[in-house]
């Protein structure tokens, strides 16, 4: 009987040991994680004050300076994922806020011009689809870090990882957004669907941000700054339409995010497999230059651009006369709106839809 009890005690101790953060990692993994954290980009993540992990609060600067060992490697990996996930969540939340303001602007245009509202909505949908490749990279980055964690147990697999659900949902929305871009629904309904998507994302951000204490960033103040900037005569002449200005702002922010929080952190993107890996070499000035080049090549040669081209090809096949592939053409279409209405007066044969309920594809012909 005593032997059986001793065996049970030993088993309990063994499983308790497995569920602690004291699990030893391999020396190769330790070197990789240490080299990974040596990239200077980690010193530039300044939007996360601290993370909450295992009932304790941790700061990123402490994680960077503490040597990685075989005993604390798994613990470091968990903290890295939380810090990076919190920073990604903050960036995606800001983009989501900008898209929400974008959607409101498109909706307001319905009162003055269906053509402008349509072009605004097309531009908004294109911008939302642009985010999907970035979401894939973020997911790939977090998964690449997680692969070096040794404790792969069923309890860990069931645990919610930061951004896991949101990034999955973002990728699954690609089909829906593409369908909306060629939808027969009224413009108002398309914008309503977009609003529901953005609202769902916002709710997920709140859950993920519960792991983080972020530096306070007033999104409303940023929106006021953008409005002030757009209303200057020089900027207004350049962009002419607020939604084109917003599209440009969001594109620049996406490029900055992928540069600063992907390539400069030591992630490597394999364009052949669309997979992300950690750099196993220590950071050098040469690596930094390579990161800059990778960032440029990524935005030019990956599905970031291919996604937009696929949408445009689909639109052209479905509606041969569609020409909304660049901002210049969009603005030219808008400038010609009144003239077209005067010259092509088909009021006798056109169906008159209630205000706000005209089909989304009306101006695709």
């Amino acid at each position: 009987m005593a032997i059986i009890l001793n065996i049970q005690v030993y088993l309990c101790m063994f499983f308790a040991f497995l569920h602690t953060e004291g699990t030893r990692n391999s020396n190769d993994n330790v070197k990789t994680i240490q080299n990974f954290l040596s990239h200077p980009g980690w010193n530039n993540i300044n939007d996360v004050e601290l993370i909450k992990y295992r009932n304790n609060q941790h700061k990123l600067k402490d994680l960077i300076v503490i040597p990685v060992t075989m005993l604390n490697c798994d613990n470091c990996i968990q903290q890295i994922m939380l810090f990076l996930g919190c920073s990604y969540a903050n960036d995606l939340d800001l983009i989501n806020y900008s898209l929400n303001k974008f959607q409101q602007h498109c909706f307001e245009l319905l009162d003055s011009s269906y053509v402008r509202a349509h072009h605004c909505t097309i531009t908004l949908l294109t911008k939302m689809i642009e985010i999907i490749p970035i979401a894939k990279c973020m997911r790939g980055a977090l998964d690449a870090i997680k692969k070096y964690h040794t404790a792969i147990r069923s309890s860990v697999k069931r645990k919610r990882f930061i951004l896991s659900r949101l990034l999955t949902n973002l990728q699954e929305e690609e089909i829906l957004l593409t369908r909306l871009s060629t939808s027969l629904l009224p413009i108002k309904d398309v914008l309503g669907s977009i609003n529901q998507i953005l609202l769902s994302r916002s709710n997920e951000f709140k859950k993920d941000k519960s792991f983080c204490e972020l530096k306070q960033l007033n999104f409303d103040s940023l929106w006021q700054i953008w409005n002030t900037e757009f209303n200057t005569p020089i900027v207004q002449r350049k962009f002419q339409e607020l939604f084109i200005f917003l599209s440009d702002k969001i594109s620049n922010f996406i490029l900055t995010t992928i540069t600063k929080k992907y390539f400069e952190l030591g992630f490597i993107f394999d364009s052949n497999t669309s997979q992300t890996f950690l750099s196993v070499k220590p950071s050098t000035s040469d690596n930094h230059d390579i990161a800059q080049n990778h960032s440029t090549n990524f935005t030019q040669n990956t599905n970031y651009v291919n996604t937009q081209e696929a949408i445009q090809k689909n639109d052209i096949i479905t509606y041969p006369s569609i020409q909304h592939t660049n901002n210049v053409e969009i603005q030219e279409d808008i400038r010609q709106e009144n003239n077209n209405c005067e010259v092509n007066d088909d009021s006798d044969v056109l169906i008159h839809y209630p205000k706000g309920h005209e089909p989304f594809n009306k101006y695709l012909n």
Side-chain angles (χ1 to χ4, degrees), residues 102 105-106 109-110 113-127 187 191 241 243-244 247 321-337 340 360 363-365:
F102 204 139
H105 175 62
C106 294
L109 288 176
L110 280 171
S113 169
Y114 284 108
V115 172
R116 293 170 67 204
H118 171 263
H119 284 311
C120 181
T121 307
I122 278 287
T123 307
L124 172 59
L125 284 166
T126 302
K127 201 56 50 181
I187 298 175
L191 290 172
E241 287 288 342
F243 64 83
I244 296 175
S247 174
S321 63
I322 182 171
Q323 295 292 332
H324 61 266
T325 57
N326 61 59
N327 292 340
V328 174
E329 291 170 352
I330 290 175
Q331 297 185 71
E332 182 63 27
D333 287 344
I334 294 169
R335 284 197 295 269
Q336 294 180 356
E337 175 190 359
N340 290 340
F360 182 65
Y363 297 104
L364 296 178
N365 298 316

Side-chain angles (χ1 to χ4, degrees), residues 269-302:
F269 180 77
D270 187 339
S271 58
N272 294 322
T273 62
S274 296
Q275 290 184 320
T276 298
F277 302 93
L278 303 190
S279 173
V280 297
K281 297 179 180 179
S283 175
T284 64
S285 57
D286 290 338
N287 289 347
H288 182 74
D289 293 337
I290 292 172
Q292 293 287 351
N293 293 333
H294 276 310
S295 176
T296 303
N297 292 335
F298 174 81
T299 56
Q300 292 176 347
N301 299 322
T302 66

Side-chain angles (χ1 to χ4, degrees), residues 135-165:
K136 292 177 180 178
C137 277
M138 290 179 173
R139 180 64 179 266
L142 294 173
D143 285 345
I145 299 171
K146 186 171 66 175
K147 289 177 183 177
Y148 289 88
H149 198 292
T150 59
I152 302 181
R153 302 179 297 271
S154 58
S155 60
V156 175
K157 292 180 181 178
R158 289 194 300 267
K159 186 177 179 180
R160 174 194 175 102
F161 285 103
I162 189 168
L163 287 183
S164 59
R165 188 174 303 165

Side-chain angles (χ1 to χ4, degrees), residues 202-302:
S202 180
N203 293 332
E204 284 296 323
F205 285 128
K206 292 178 182 178
K207 297 176 185 177
D208 286 314
K209 283 188 172 183
S210 63
F211 294 100
C212 327
E213 184 173 313
L214 301 165
K215 286 188 177 179
Q216 293 298 320
L217 176 62
N218 192 323
F219 290 174
D220 290 330
S221 295
L222 179 63
W223 177 249
Q224 292 174 5
I225 292 172
W226 283 3
N227 266 306
T228 302
E229 182 181 348
F230 174 74
N231 288 324
T232 60
I234 294 177
V235 175
Q236 270 195 338
R237 284 198 298 270
K238 178 181 178 181
F239 292 99
Q240 298 187 22
E241 287 288 342
L242 177 60
F243 64 83
I244 296 175
F245 170 79
L246 292 176
S247 174
D248 189 69
K249 283 290 185 183
I250 294 172
S251 291
N252 289 338
F253 188 76
I254 291 173
L255 179 59
T256 300
T257 299
I258 202 66
T259 300
K260 299 295 183 183
K261 298 182 180 179
Y262 186 85
F263 292 108
E264 290 187 5
L265 294 183
F267 292 107
I268 298 175
F269 180 77
D270 187 339
S271 58
N272 294 322
T273 62
S274 296
Q275 290 184 320
T276 298
F277 302 93
L278 303 190
S279 173
V280 297
K281 297 179 180 179
S283 175
T284 64
S285 57
D286 290 338
N287 289 347
H288 182 74
D289 293 337
I290 292 172
Q292 293 287 351
N293 293 333
H294 276 310
S295 176
T296 303
N297 292 335
F298 174 81
T299 56
Q300 292 176 347
N301 299 322
T302 66

Side-chain angles (χ1 to χ4, degrees), residues 122 181-182 310-320 322 324:
I122 278 287
S181 67
T182 55
I311 297 168
Q312 292 162 3
K313 288 178 182 177
N314 181 58
D315 288 341
I316 292 170
I317 292 171
T318 309
Y319 309 99
I322 182 171
H324 61 266

Side-chain angles (χ1 to χ4, degrees), residues 49-89:
E49 291 281 6
L50 53 86
I51 59 166
K52 303 164 188 176
Y53 175 63
R54 297 181 68 86
N55 298 321
N56 292 315
Q57 296 181 343
H58 304 270
K59 293 185 177 182
L60 181 58
K61 64 179 181 180
D62 296 331
L63 176 62
I64 294 174
V65 299
I66 295 176
V68 181
T69 67
M70 288 189 289
L71 285 176
N72 71 4
C73 186
D74 284 348
N75 188 30
C76 289
I77 290 170
Q78 294 279 18
Q79 291 185 46
I80 293 170
M81 291 178 62
L82 281 175
F83 275 114
L84 187 56
C86 287
S87 189
Y88 282 164

